[in-house]
Amino acid sequence: MSVDKKYKSRLSRKRKFHGNRFTKRDPGSQCLDLDLDLDLQSETNPTEGLGVEGSRSMGSSDVDLAKCKQSATPTLTRSEMKIQSLPSDLESDENDCSSDSDLDLDAEEIEGNRIIDVGLLNRSISSMLVCKFCHGIVKMVENQRQGLGSEFIFSCSDNGCSQQTAFPSCPTIQAGNLKVNSINRRTALAMRCIGGSRADLETFCGVMDLPPPVGDSSFNLINQTMLKAAETIQDKSTANAAKNEFILADQNGDDVHRNVDVSVDGTWMTRGHSSKIGVTSVIGCETGKVLDTNTLSKICKSCEHWEKRDKDSEEYRKWQAEHKNNCTANHAGSSGSMESESAVQMFGRSISKYQLRYTRFIGDGDTNSFKKVFESTPYGQEYPVEKIECVGHVQKRMGTRLRNLKASLKGTKLADGKPIGGKGRLTNDQIDKIQQYYGNAIRANKNNLGEMRKAVWAIYFHKRSSDKEPSHHFCGDWCPYQKAVANGTASDYKHTNNLPIAVLEKVRPVFKALVETELLKKCLEGYTQNANECLNGTIWKLCPKHKYHGFTTVKTAVAIAVAVFNDGAKSYIAIMEEMGLKSTRYSRTFYQSRDKARIRRARRSATEASLESRRAKRRFRLACDEQQEEAEGFSYLSGAHE
């Protein structure tokens, strides 16, 4: 719908304007009664070259312009008057966007921020406004600037007139004895929420023809403020999650403390096990929300800087005394031990923080975190911590071991004189299917160890079966052969998806190891660490791994990620308000639409059709890659083509 049609449809519902107390004044009074003491100019006279040029991000609610005092009762409605004041560019198709439907033509105030070309604004002001006292042309000049925030002055161009009024381009926030521009805090928070830095903000400003952001020192101060605000919201979110976890947990005869199951996982800022910063999270299994996090660092830039100074100097001793409680190097061990040390710390403070005992530890077995926690006995000998395996990681063991087996037997002839891989044998596609079936067997038989072991062995014997020797005695109703038996057509059934016996003899030890009772006992609950992995991804979106980030930045990203993970995008609004930033309908619309889209995507992804589609795409990709590798040989192998 065009803009004109939108306006006309609204005009048809408007009442005619018949005047008010402002319109019944002396016709000679044609002043635009602003706080700036400006008047309407009787004839347009655009002035070139006055004031400032370029673009500014301005808060439209900051310029408090009073209503125009007209000399006579107008013959047009209010909406018609507003339409006439709109620029003709709005009639073009380029400006007819979906945001037009959000415009409220009768709104008393305009909310939010806009990016305005101040050159155009200045020329429009000079062409429409004159000084109330001398009727000189009014111009707008930039008095001072701090980052993206500016102070503008409306002044009279007549040399004999000293009338002028200043106004800020954005609200200011009282920070101690200083007043800071809110736009600088807002842009710093926006950069962190999209994984950017000051350098990225500087690039954005340069491309958008905006002034450069605040300097490094001021930006660091904003980051400190952001960290405090984000951690405040994080603490509220985790405390609320722990309260819900306490309510949902079993009492176990104790009204003061409750025993809960938690999943623990660690992640590092850089890939590998040489990262200087690591993050570990604890998530409650009942609520699926984050209860606690811990961030460890092996480095402190300030320490590295002062390490080169004279340690006997008074300056060094003064710095050391002030820095002692602010040092970011809070871990002295290896990078790989960060997860276990963080886990011990978080288990040790669970009672003092939340009155909870983390008595069951859901882990992946990649580190010795459980061993360290168990040995620390955080709740005494009466409440030992029990280990529960993550089903997802146990499932991955099947695929990993089969791939390692295939790699170790590459080039070796099996009992039937053929290699382990190749068409109709142990391909990557077959490994992926077996891994998927293994995970399904565990999840489908929760709390039933016997049926779980039987279902795992059913995979092996189902793949071993042939027309001459069917071995489907462990198979359930999912098996097509069992369905054929039920229908009385077993004699006509053809086995098409089996593997050679020579291959399965090599695979049998892998199944035997992964069907052990002790292992499957730890999978009876069907718990996973998917929530932890999701949180890890959210953290590194806010501070991407391909960039270096300091300790403050990582902690800020963790705090924001936890708040958003637990409570949704409305946490952005809470952090903004904690930083002294106001939110308008645009901010509220953003978080509401973001949360709705998030829920919609999650529901769609959880459907069986969506899951099967992703699995089919993965299997197809693996099969194509394997066929291409067999046809081309190894295009890339370390040291193979010297």
Side-chain angles (χ1 to χ4, degrees), residues 319-376:
W319 165 82
Q320 192 176 40
E322 295 176 351
H323 181 70
K324 187 176 181 180
N325 297 326
N326 299 319
C327 184
T328 60
N330 55 3
H331 179 68
S334 65
S335 299
S337 65
M338 288 180 177
E339 180 179 337
S340 57
E341 182 176 332
S342 293
V344 171
Q345 293 178 12
M346 290 187 291
F347 273 67
R349 66 194 184 202
S350 66
I351 291 181
S352 60
K353 287 187 72 173
Y354 307 127
Q355 304 300 319
L356 294 176
R357 287 187 288 256
Y358 306 151
T359 52
R360 297 216 288 178
F361 181 113
I362 302 167
D364 51 20
D366 294 343
T367 67
N368 62 346
S369 299
F370 170 72
K371 180 181 177 182
K372 293 291 184 181
V373 170
F374 182 80
E375 292 174 351
S376 68

Side-chain angles (χ1 to χ4, degrees), residues 378-395:
Y379 315 117
Q381 299 294 335
E382 185 180 359
Y383 296 99
V385 181
E386 179 186 353
K387 174 69 179 296
I388 301 177
E389 291 290 347
C390 167
V391 174
H393 283 83
V394 173
Q395 176 181 342

Side-chain angles (χ1 to χ4, degrees), residues 432-447:
D432 196 61
K433 286 182 179 179
I434 293 173
Q435 175 180 313
Q436 176 190 332
Y437 298 155
Y438 179 66
N440 291 345
I442 295 175
R443 293 184 178 91
N445 296 279
K446 292 189 294 185
N447 302 318

Side-chain angles (χ1 to χ4, degrees), residues 119-163:
L120 291 176
L121 177 62
N122 190 28
R123 288 191 289 272
S124 299
I125 289 171
S126 300
S127 65
M128 293 295 295
L129 302 179
V130 296
C131 178
K132 180 177 181 180
F133 296 93
C134 68
H135 297 281
I137 297 174
V138 173
K139 64 178 181 180
M140 184 181 74
V141 295
E142 187 176 34
N143 183 37
Q144 61 181 2
R145 182 181 63 81
Q146 182 187 28
L148 293 174
S150 299
E151 182 184 76
F152 294 99
I153 291 179
F154 282 164
S155 62
C156 181
S157 60
D158 192 333
N159 294 331
C161 183
S162 61
Q163 295 298 318

Side-chain angles (χ1 to χ4, degrees), residues 506-518:
K506 296 294 182 181
V507 170
R508 186 183 180 92
V510 176
F511 272 85
K512 192 172 181 180
L514 294 180
V515 79
E516 288 182 353
T517 302
E518 290 301 318

Side-chain angles (χ1 to χ4, degrees), residues 14 44-45 116 162 166 197 271 291 365 372 412 509 511 525:
K14 303 299 180 183
T44 60
N45 183 21
I116 299 177
S162 61
S197 60
R271 294 173 178 85
L291 303 179
K372 293 291 184 181
T412 303
F511 272 85
E525 301 291 339

